[in-house]
């Protein structure tokens, strides 16, 4: 049992393997947060202090007690209208334009298994793996009810939270702000870590002290965005990879979102995560409800590395789904950087022939196979195969590729429409546009109104036509612009459109994955613009970035590793000079960077020299050999490539029996200094053999003394060391 209820004091306690979370429904029925952190027994209501504080109001039923104020107490679900003037998790506008709201505890349920959310992705867990706590709060005046869900996966120190807001009254209301993730601490000094970036340079790491004033991240682009990943870490000052207390929050959602952290007037810290309050006023008629996407939370008192591994395991084992969830992914070659729009069926066949000779499993035909699309200005929305360009049908092309012993995959971008398309000419109102205004274009394309079922169904039917007539084993689902002109012909209330759009995308993905359970889906949004837990529920891998430069990738993949498992990180070896940066690095370096992901190629294999082809064969074999270690092993960051002269990471078998250590030098200087690498996760009392050199090391020595990386001239040298635990002391 992870969830306990103490009846007299109405205290709820959640225990996971290493953490405890506690709150209570106090005598007034308000939910007061008590504790989250290292595992402990006992009730912690003694931590609360009550004082008569100026300008911190008191609920009416506190009578003459001026020491009780929701402006000062830590809360489970702070809401506007309670006299809490900090940023709150809920803002509801009533039909009469007031913001009156008074949510009190009504009832609760505890049950085995993890709750699910209708129409939204969510972490899942069987009855023997997870538990749910469900708490109903009610506003007696308006009839508004809020149900708080807590899902517990004790094994991974994971607690998820979601909120369902139901209009139980007689009049329409508007939800203007709704969060699911809340952390409220009565004291402490914390840093907020966020993962910011831009197209082709996603998930840089920022660490900023939480102080007075509000730190806000988020997206109002309709996608979770390249600019801020929907994930944050609150770290106690001084917390590093291996020491200190930290809390992670990640939103299982792929649309606009909001994340906030702040210190209040009493130096208390509050963190919130959920739907964005920009451009949102979600109407609820009597009886209707709004489901707020869930926030996955974890806490570690052993530093950031343990926190990351909790998220890796939860996402890989309890969020990703389908045939490919745990099974090896095909090593693929993608046609994009190999040929861009300039290909025929023969180009793809040639790529497949080259792939077959190198042991590559799959060829993926990227953008440009449909309508009359020979550049990125046309044909989105017309998902008819351009047989003239291919010289055959898609089915024939796939068969010819398959005949070479190579699998075949395809790129699609279902949410978009080009103005130059038959679809747009027939249904101009299907694109999101504000009436009377000219829309903002992005990559010269508009966004289809996926909040409307008829729009989705039309695109779905077209795509099924292609998939039903060709042996396609992989789909790359792209989304190549931000959403700006928010107006749906189908709705009078524009404050709901972005959320309904996301439900529409999820509905489409659910239909696609149920109809084609054997197809592997890879998410993509100009690379990593929708790299989030929501997409992972449908696509067990996501193209990490349009930037394939191995050196930039070490930083992008480092930032990505704080929440996301390696098994979901789309990473390919591409040509040099790199198309995004112009930088040239060795094939070895490119391969080692791409092996910290799903591994594949994105170049014209026909251009490779014999020597390079030999290297590719060897890298593909190595990737297969180490696959289990890479995908299922524990991931350790061994350096910070934003600040250190090298990027280094390791995959270590959970039982410590084996490790694969990778390092890429980021600097070289005259009379070079030596860099020592300290390993992690090994058994200190065991001996390990470097399977390449045969040299034996003590696990403890490798971890506590480290070992010197070879000093070799040349830029961006890469090293990979495979260690095996020795059964007997030699
Ligand atoms: C996006 C993707 C690329 C490629 C192109 C095709 O930018 O991230 O990998 O598929 O679209 O237009």
């Amino acid at each position: 049992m992870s969830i306990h209820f103490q009846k007299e004091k109405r205290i709820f306690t959640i225990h996971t393997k290493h953490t405890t979370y506690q709150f209570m429904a106090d005598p007034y029925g308000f939910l007061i947060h008590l504790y989250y952190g290292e595992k402990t027994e006992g009730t912690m209501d003694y931590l609360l202090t009550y004082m008569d504080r100026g300008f911190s109001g008191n609920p009416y039923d506190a009578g003459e007690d001026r020491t009780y104020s929701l402006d000062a107490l830590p809360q489970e679900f702070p809401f506007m209208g309670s006299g809490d003037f900090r940023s709150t998790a809920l803002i509801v506008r009533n039909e009469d334009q007031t913001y009156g709201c008074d949510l009190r505890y009504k009832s609760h349920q505890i049950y085995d298994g993890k709750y699910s959310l209708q129409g939204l992705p969510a972490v899942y867990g069987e009855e023997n793996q997870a538990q749910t706590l469900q708490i109903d709060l009610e506003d007696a005046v308006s009839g508004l009810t809020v149900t708080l869900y807590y899902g517990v996966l004790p094994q991974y120190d994971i607690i998820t939270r979601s909120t369902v807001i139901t209009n139980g009254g007689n009049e329409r209301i508007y939800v203007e702000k709704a969060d699911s993730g809340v952390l409220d601490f009565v004291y402490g000094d914390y840093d907020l870590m966020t993962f910011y970036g831009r197209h082709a340079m996603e998930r840089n790491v920022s660490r900023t002290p939480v102080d007075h004033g509000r730190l806000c991240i988020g997206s109002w682009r309709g996608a979770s965005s390249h600019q801020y990943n929907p994930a944050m870490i609150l770290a106690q000052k001084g917390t590093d990879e291996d020491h200190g207390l930290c809390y992670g929050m990640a939103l299982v959602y792929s649309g606009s979102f909001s994340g906030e952290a702040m210190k209040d007037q009493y130096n208390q810290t509050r963190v919130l995560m959920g739907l964005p309050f920009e451009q949102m006023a979600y109407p609820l008629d009597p009886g209707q409800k709004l489901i707020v996407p869930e926030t996955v939370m974890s806490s570690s008192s052993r530093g950031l590395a343990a926190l990351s591994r909790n998220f890796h395991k939860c996402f890989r084992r309890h969020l990703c789904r389908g045939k490919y969830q745990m099974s090896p992914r095909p090593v693929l070659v993608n046609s994009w950087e190999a040929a861009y729009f300039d290909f025929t069926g023969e180009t793809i066949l040639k790529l497949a022939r080259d792939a077959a000779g190198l042991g590559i499993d799959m060829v993926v035909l990227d953008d440009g196979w449909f309508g009359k699309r020979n550049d990125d200005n046309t044909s989105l929305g017309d998902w008819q195969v351009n047989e003239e360009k291919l010289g055959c049908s898609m089915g024939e092309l796939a068969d010819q590729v398959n005949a070479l012993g190579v699998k075949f995959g395809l790129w699609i971008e279902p949410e978009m429409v080009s103005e130059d398309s038959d679809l747009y000419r027939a249904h101009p109102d299907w694109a999101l546009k504000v009436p009377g205004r000219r829309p903002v274009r992005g990559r010269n394309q508009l966004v289809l109104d996926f909040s409307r079922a008829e729009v989705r169904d039309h695109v779905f039917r077209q795509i099924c036509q292609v998939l039903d007539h060709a042996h396609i084993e992989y789909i790359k689902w792209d989304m190549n612009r931000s959403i700006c002109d928010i107006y749906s012909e189908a709705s009078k209330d524009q404050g709901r459109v972005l959320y309904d759009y996301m439900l529409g995308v999820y509905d489409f993905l659910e239909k696609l994955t149920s109809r084609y359970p054997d197809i592997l889906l890879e998410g993509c949004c100009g690379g990593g613009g929708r790299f989030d837990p929501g997409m992972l529920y449908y696509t067990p891998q996501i193209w990490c970035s349009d930037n394939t430069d191995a050196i930039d990738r070490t930083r992008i993949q480092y930032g990505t590793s704080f929440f996301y498992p390696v098994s979901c990180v789309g990473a390919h070896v591409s040509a040099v000079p790199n198309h995004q940066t112009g930088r040239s690095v060795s094939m070895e370096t490119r391969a080692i960077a791409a092996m910290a992901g799903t591994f594949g190629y994105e170049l014209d294999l026909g251009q490779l020299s014999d020597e390079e082809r030999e290297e590719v064969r060897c890298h593909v074999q190595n990737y297969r050999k180490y696959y289990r270690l890479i995908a299922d092993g524990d991931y350790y960051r061994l350096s910070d490539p934003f600040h250190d002269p090298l990027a280094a990471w390791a995959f270590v078998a959970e039982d410590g029996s084996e490790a694969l250590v990778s390092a890429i030098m980021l600097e070289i200087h005259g009379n070079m200094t030596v860099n020592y690498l300290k390993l992690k996760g090994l058994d200190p009392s065991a001996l390990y053999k470097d399977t390449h050199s045969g040299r034996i090391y003590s696990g403890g020595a490798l971890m506590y003394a480290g070992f010197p990386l070879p000093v070799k001239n040349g830029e961006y040298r890469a090293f990979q060391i495979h260690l095996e635990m020795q059964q007997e002391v030699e």
Side-chain angles (χ1 to χ4, degrees), residues 199 336 341 366-367 373 376 411 413 443 476 478 480 524-527 543 546 602:
H199 175 234
W336 182 240
F341 291 104
D366 208 280
D367 198 353
R373 189 158 164 101
D376 57 11
W411 176 99
E413 192 179 2
R443 208 192 192 197
K476 176 174 167 189
D478 214 336
N480 276 315
C524 180
C525 173
W543 184 227
D546 269 351
E602 179 117 2

Side-chain angles (χ1 to χ4, degrees), residues 33-35 71 111 155 217 254 260 268 322 377 379 450 561 651 672 682 687 694:
H33 180 79
L34 296 174
Y35 177 75
D71 204 20
Y111 47 87
Q155 186 65 14
I217 63 158
S254 314
E260 302 163 80
Q268 309 184 108
N377 293 307
S379 299
F450 259 42
S561 78
F651 311 99
M672 185 64 181
L682 304 180
L687 291 177

Side-chain angles (χ1 to χ4, degrees), residues 242-439:
D242 305 303
H243 313 93
L245 181 63
C246 49
Y247 303 87
M249 280 179 147
L251 191 69
V252 188
Y253 192 58
S254 314
S256 301
F257 76 96
S258 142
E260 302 163 80
M262 66 216 78
K263 228 180 205 179
D264 75 4
Q265 55 183 333
Y266 306 117
N267 295 334
Q268 309 184 108
T269 296
R270 172 170 289 176
V271 187
L272 300 169
M273 187 162 229
L275 291 171
F277 36 103
E278 291 85 2
Q279 307 185 75
M280 187 174 103
Y282 203 91
L284 292 180
D285 285 323
Q288 290 183 332
K289 61 184 176 193
L290 172 68
I291 305 175
V292 185
E294 77 179 4
T295 298
V296 181
M297 305 192 303
S298 187
S299 171
S300 153
S301 53
R302 292 164 293 132
L304 300 165
L307 187 79
S308 293
R309 282 196 293 278
N310 292 343
F311 281 97
H312 296 170
K313 288 180 181 156
C314 171
F315 289 172
R316 178 154 162 78
R317 299 177 189 175
H318 290 273
L319 184 60
C320 292
R321 300 179 299 168
K323 183 176 156 184
Y324 284 94
Q325 178 191 1
M326 301 304 283
S327 58
R329 315 287 166 72
V331 174
L332 61 85
V333 57
N334 180 295
S335 69
W336 182 240
E337 287 194 26
Y340 294 100
F341 291 104
D342 187 14
F343 59 83
T344 62
E346 185 45 40
T347 320
I348 303 306
L349 268 180
K350 165 88 174 44
L351 202 55
R353 257 179 244 124
D354 290 333
L358 297 169
I360 293 171
D361 301 307
M362 177 185 276
V363 64
V364 173
L365 173 50
D366 208 280
D367 198 353
W369 56 265
F370 52 93
K372 55 183 178 71
R373 189 158 164 101
N374 291 315
D375 58 35
D376 57 11
N377 293 307
T378 164
S379 299
L380 291 166
D382 295 346
W383 299 103
Q384 287 93 32
V385 180
N386 186 343
E387 296 192 355
E388 206 183 313
K389 182 169 177 176
L390 294 184
C392 60
S393 70
M394 193 63 86
E396 284 162 346
L397 181 60
D399 288 347
Q400 291 175 60
V401 168
N402 290 167
L404 296 163
V406 176
K407 296 178 193 309
F408 182 68
L410 200 62
W411 176 99
I412 55 174
E413 192 179 2
E415 297 154 78
M416 296 293 153
V417 67
S418 306
E419 285 163 87
D420 181 8
S421 68
D422 293 341
L423 180 75
Y424 187 75
R425 281 183 282 273
H427 300 284
D429 62 310
W430 283 11
L432 291 171
K433 277 181 302 179
V434 177
R437 293 180 189 275
R438 289 176 303 172

Side-chain angles (χ1 to χ4, degrees), residues 359-592:
I360 293 171
D361 301 307
M362 177 185 276
V363 64
V364 173
L365 173 50
D366 208 280
D367 198 353
W369 56 265
F370 52 93
K372 55 183 178 71
R373 189 158 164 101
N374 291 315
D375 58 35
D376 57 11
N377 293 307
T378 164
S379 299
L380 291 166
D382 295 346
W383 299 103
Q384 287 93 32
V385 180
N386 186 343
E387 296 192 355
E388 206 183 313
K389 182 169 177 176
L390 294 184
C392 60
S393 70
M394 193 63 86
E396 284 162 346
L397 181 60
D399 288 347
Q400 291 175 60
V401 168
N402 290 167
L404 296 163
V406 176
K407 296 178 193 309
F408 182 68
L410 200 62
W411 176 99
I412 55 174
E413 192 179 2
E415 297 154 78
M416 296 293 153
V417 67
S418 306
E419 285 163 87
D420 181 8
S421 68
D422 293 341
L423 180 75
Y424 187 75
R425 281 183 282 273
H427 300 284
D429 62 310
W430 283 11
L432 291 171
K433 277 181 302 179
V434 177
R437 293 180 189 275
R438 289 176 303 172
V440 170
R441 289 176 174 148
R443 208 192 192 197
N444 209 9
Q445 63 197 47
L446 303 181
V447 185
L448 284 174
D449 183 357
F450 259 42
S451 72
R452 290 168 67 178
E454 71 271 31
V455 178
R456 299 196 299 271
D457 289 349
H458 179 87
V459 179
F460 189 72
R461 274 195 301 274
Q462 288 192 67
I463 287 173
C464 290
Q465 271 298 315
V466 180
L467 298 179
D468 288 346
H469 295 97
H471 189 223
I472 290 165
E473 296 183 73
Y474 159 108
I475 289 175
K476 176 174 167 189
W477 176 303
D478 214 336
M479 194 254 187
N480 276 315
R481 60 158 294 178
S482 305
I483 304 178
C484 178
D485 302 277
I486 299 158
Y487 176 85
S488 168
E489 281 283 341
S491 175
K492 289 197 304 294
D493 293 286
Q494 302 312 321
R496 64 181 300 161
V497 173
L498 280 183
Y499 177 86
D500 289 352
Y501 175 93
M502 251 353 283
L503 290 191
V505 172
Y506 290 144
D507 174 60
F508 195 122
L509 279 160
E510 190 64 46
K511 284 193 180 120
L512 194 67
T513 50
S514 350
R515 182 166 164 149
Y516 303 101
D518 290 337
I519 294 184
L520 168 63
L521 254 70
E522 175 153 353
C524 180
C525 173
R530 210 158 56 178
F531 198 112
D532 56 62
M535 285 307 287
L536 284 184
Y537 189 66
Y538 307 95
T539 66
Q541 60 191 58
I542 304 176
W543 184 227
C544 182
S545 176
D546 269 351
N547 186 343
T548 55
D549 175 295
I551 302 309
D552 276 353
R553 271 300 184 111
T554 62
R555 301 191 174 108
I556 296 168
Q557 291 170 190
Y558 169 83
T560 305
S561 78
F562 280 87
F563 282 89
Y564 301 97
V566 165
S567 60
C568 77
V569 176
H572 297 166
V573 172
S574 62
V576 287
N578 179 268
H579 293 189
Q580 291 79 43
T581 61
R583 183 166 19 212
S584 292
V585 306
S586 71
M587 185 64 95
E588 175 80 354
T589 300
R590 284 175 276 159
I592 289 179

